[in-house]
Amino acid sequence: MKKIIALAFLFIGIATQAQDKKVIDKPQIVEASCGECQFGMKGKSCDLAVRIEGKTYFVDGTTIHDHGDAHAEDGFCNAIRKASVTGTIEKNRFKATSFTLIKE
């Protein structure tokens, strides 16, 4: 009986983790900017973030400095830009497998 209960909790845990992970495998257009400066997120310094379906996530897999001067007039700390992305939302972070800024 204890093994059955343990297995039930294991399967519930796995199912919960699967629900917390969202895969974006087709390119999606999102808003991208500095999480702290433009999206009002709590953080320690200027960090790249995206807004997907109204919710903001810090980004792993690329950094704010990989896309030019963050403090330029059109930089992430001063403007919200559009980007085409793929990746996963996991543990309240966006793990990018691709991240391409869209020229406006």
Side-chain angles (χ1 to χ4, degrees):
M1 185 66 171
K2 288 182 183 179
K3 288 182 182 180
I4 293 172
I5 292 172
L7 283 173
F9 279 112
L10 176 67
F11 287 123
I12 290 169
I14 291 170
T16 301
Q17 286 178 352
Q19 291 173 357
D20 291 341
K21 183 177 181 179
K22 179 179 179 181
V23 177
I24 300 171
D25 54 358
K26 294 180 184 171
Q28 181 174 340
I29 306 300
V30 301
E31 293 180 307
S33 199
C34 176
E36 291 84 355
C37 296
Q38 293 295 317
F39 293 148
M41 299 170 73
K42 300 278 187 217
K44 297 178 183 172
S45 64
C46 295
D47 293 301
L48 183 59
V50 292
R51 185 163 31 214
I52 301 171
E53 298 173 357
K55 187 162 182 196
T56 55
Y57 305 92
F58 284 116
V59 177
D60 297 325
T62 187
T63 71
I64 199 166
H65 302 293
D66 291 336
H67 306 281
D69 180 359
H71 295 102
E73 186 177 319
D74 65 344
F76 287 128
C77 292
N78 294 312
I80 297 174
R81 309 270 309 270
K82 299 281 186 204
S84 175
V85 302
T86 59
T88 58
I89 299 169
E90 191 173 347
K91 296 182 181 176
N92 210 33
R93 294 186 70 87
F94 179 69
K95 299 183 184 299
T97 52
S98 71
F99 186 101
T100 305
L101 278 177
I102 297 174
K103 305 239 184 215
E104 296 184 64

